Amino acid sequence: MTRKFYITTPIYYPNDIPHIGHAYTTIAADVLARWNKLIGKDVFFLTGTDEHGKKMENIAKENKKGTKEFVDELIPKFKDAWKKLNIDYNFFIRTTDLAHEKVVKEVLKKVYDNKDIYLGQYEGYYCTGCEAYYTEKDLVGGCCPIHKRKIELLKEESYFFKLSKYQKKLLDFYEKNPEFILPKNRSKEIINRVKEGLNDLSISRTSFDWGIKLPFNEKHIAYVWFDALLNYYSATRVKGKEKFWPADLHLIGKDIIWFHTVYWPAMLMSAGIELPKTVFAHGWWTFNNEKISKSRGKVINVDELISIAGVDSARYFLFRNTVFGEDGDFSEQALIDRHNNELANKLGNLVSRVSSLIEKNGIEKCENKLLKKLRLKEIEKLFDSFEFDKILNEIFAFVDICNEYVQNKKPWETKDKKVLYELADSIKAIAILLYPFIPSTSENIAKQFCFEIKLESIKKPLNEKSKIIKGDILFTKI
Ligand code: MSP
């Protein structure tokens, strides 16, 4: 039976065009989706947009537009950015989709019938930028700790979700499922906070109406996070997609880990729905050590990112330069250096030298001893632990080995067809393993060297009848 793999990105607020932060999670999901397809899994890759809530309503007003009209104009910008970045998602969900709204109402009703929702009065802080509640001790000088802006004090009738009731159940769950919150250091932080106690969660508002009405009281609009988190589940409540629930992996940024590892599993427990397997929180990209975000001034949007050195170089750089899970400081020069030194000099040169020598001299099939130096098992393990930088290190260590082999064997003098065969067969392995990261480059190499991008093809010797040609330059130096 084919195993399934269901992976999600956060659904983004369509309040502006997507930037490097959004691109980072989405490319990471694309890398893992492509890898899981390579290893033969039935993959469902979901992304989309989080369109309700006061924040979206306010931004639309600032732009003198109706909220739906405003978000409708931004959705193509997201889809377009993902297309440019070669993101091969399976479904794009919008929280304004009627099918999603129906599921949110159904789950709210279940939780309500389960007596986990009660009517009360919310009195406390709320940051619309974060769409999050804060207590006095979270604030920094009376301001939101993220946006550093004055925070709103709310006082209104609200329905509450009995989050406090789930404290023990959540702690038990974390203990039994050590892979639920990754990386491990973040898991400790969450567990410690949950141990300190959980307040019930205000899950409805009455002071605006851009959102989903509570099925048991239409005066109330569902809290945007209650609505948004359910996208992961509602996307599978479609004919043919049910088999994908529970999600195997929610990829998110570290800023939204609390919502995903506390509210989300508690909501599902209350509704009697199976829980996702893993939530992995990556770090933030900073620019001069400041978070990249529109509200804080510095943004690198997707077009800018691509314009530096092309799509594949951008995709490569984001995972090569920093540990996935930790913060990284963005530098255009560092991207250009990686592009020049690794993609153009090491990979590009290897492919172009070997293919032009083969075009002239041909190949002769033999055992590829060189391939024994590729640590394939290690790379497979590293994919399981999301250690992208190390995967790329391993692959490029092998690229170095191949380049040294060319230097030592001097096939331009010897015209040794067996050496050229070994090199071509090794380039095949390299291109297949790099495919999740730089898919269009790998596809070009595959066309040039006549093989199929499949994991089995790594071990299947290259057909010596292949008509290998010297193709176009893969990476032009900047
Ligand atoms: N709408 C919510 C998510 C709901 S998921 C049920 C949201 N949207 S967002 O558009 O503000 O951000 C989405 C993601 O982008 C977050 O995971 C966040 O961490 C990520 N990034 C935004 N800026 C970032 C960086 N500068 N660096 C890395 N990722 C960051 O939150």
Side-chain angles (χ1 to χ4, degrees), residues 10-13 19 21-22 50 225 232 253 255-256 282 285 292:
I11 46 170
Y12 305 108
Y13 293 123
H19 59 67
H22 307 129
D50 186 356
W225 272 98
Y232 303 131
D255 51 330
I256 54 176
H282 63 68
W285 279 96
I292 295 167

Side-chain angles (χ1 to χ4, degrees), residues 330-346:
F330 185 82
S331 136
E332 198 171 312
Q333 192 53 48
L335 197 167
I336 293 174
D337 289 345
R338 296 273 185 198
H339 167 94
N340 284 344
N341 302 338
E342 292 162 21
L343 294 172
N345 280 355
K346 294 183 173 184

Side-chain angles (χ1 to χ4, degrees), residues 19 22 26-27 47 64 103 129 143 190 208 244 270 311 381:
H19 59 67
H22 307 129
T26 312
I27 302 170
T47 189
K64 303 198 173 31
V103 174
C143 294
I190 296 292
F208 66 94
F244 287 107
S270 172
V311 175
K381 265 198 234 141

Side-chain angles (χ1 to χ4, degrees), residues 210-449:
W210 178 243
I212 300 177
K213 292 189 169 80
L214 297 191
F216 39 86
N217 185 344
E218 300 222 322
K219 265 190 0 222
H220 286 251
I221 296 296
Y223 173 37
V224 62
W225 272 98
F226 202 103
D227 160 358
L229 286 162
L230 278 163
N231 90 87
Y232 303 131
Y233 173 64
S234 70
T236 66
R237 289 286 306 278
V238 175
K239 204 163 171 275
K241 296 285 178 257
E242 297 94 334
K243 63 179 178 193
F244 287 107
W245 190 258
D248 294 273
L249 181 62
H250 294 313
L251 278 184
I252 57 163
K254 66 178 183 181
D255 51 330
I256 54 176
I257 191 167
W258 183 255
F259 303 92
H260 282 82
T261 58
V262 181
Y263 297 173
W264 179 223
M267 284 162 58
L268 292 171
M269 282 173 182
S270 172
I273 300 168
E274 212 180 323
L275 267 53
K277 306 251 167 49
T278 298
V279 175
F280 186 102
H282 63 68
W284 276 343
W285 279 96
T286 54
F287 195 88
N288 296 333
N289 297 312
E290 275 281 304
K291 188 186 171 203
I292 295 167
S293 78
K294 189 170 175 248
S295 51
R296 305 280 293 285
K298 183 66 213 171
V299 196
I300 298 166
N301 66 38
V302 169
D303 284 334
E304 283 164 342
L305 177 67
I306 295 172
S307 71
I308 302 170
V311 175
D312 277 358
S313 298
R315 290 178 60 119
Y316 173 79
F317 170 78
L318 292 177
F319 299 99
R320 176 72 159 139
N321 225 48
T322 53
V323 175
F324 194 57
E326 288 171 20
D327 293 348
D329 201 40
F330 185 82
S331 136
E332 198 171 312
Q333 192 53 48
L335 197 167
I336 293 174
D337 289 345
R338 296 273 185 198
H339 167 94
N340 284 344
N341 302 338
E342 292 162 21
L343 294 172
N345 280 355
K346 294 183 173 184
L347 179 67
N349 273 351
L350 176 71
V351 172
S352 110
R353 270 174 111 180
V354 171
S355 58
S356 69
L357 285 167
I358 294 178
E359 207 178 55
K360 282 189 217 125
N361 304 296
I363 45 175
E364 187 181 326
K365 198 168 182 173
C366 62
E367 187 198 351
N368 182 0
K369 292 208 194 79
L370 198 54
L371 200 60
K372 296 205 171 85
K373 301 210 169 122
L374 173 70
R375 307 196 328 149
L376 188 56
K377 280 268 156 313
E378 187 64 28
I379 292 172
E380 286 174 352
K381 265 198 234 141
L382 290 169
F383 265 110
D384 289 339
S385 50
F386 316 108
E387 292 178 89
F388 299 131
D389 60 320
K390 291 199 183 134
I391 296 170
L392 293 170
N393 252 330
E394 286 290 343
I395 303 173
F396 272 78
F398 186 62
V399 172
D400 286 343
I401 291 172
C402 293
N403 275 320
E404 279 159 27
Y405 198 65
V406 180
Q407 272 320 108
N408 296 339
K409 295 281 174 184
K410 301 189 174 32
W412 61 92
E413 282 174 8
T414 63
K415 309 203 181 335
D416 188 331
K417 291 185 185 177
K418 287 189 176 161
V419 166
L420 289 174
Y421 179 84
E422 281 185 284
L423 285 163
D425 193 59
S426 300
I427 287 174
K428 161 167 70 65
I430 293 167
I432 294 170
L433 291 171
L434 283 176
Y435 169 76
F437 299 94
I438 50 170
S440 58
T441 303
S442 290
E443 277 160 3
N444 284 338
I445 300 175
K447 249 187 244 146
Q448 226 181 312
F449 284 77

Side-chain angles (χ1 to χ4, degrees), residues 94-110:
R94 300 181 54 177
T95 51
T96 49
D97 291 341
L98 286 177
H100 167 76
E101 294 192 359
K102 196 169 149 246
V103 174
V104 173
K105 287 189 177 169
E106 180 193 299
V107 173
L108 276 163
K109 177 90 177 32
K110 259 198 199 161

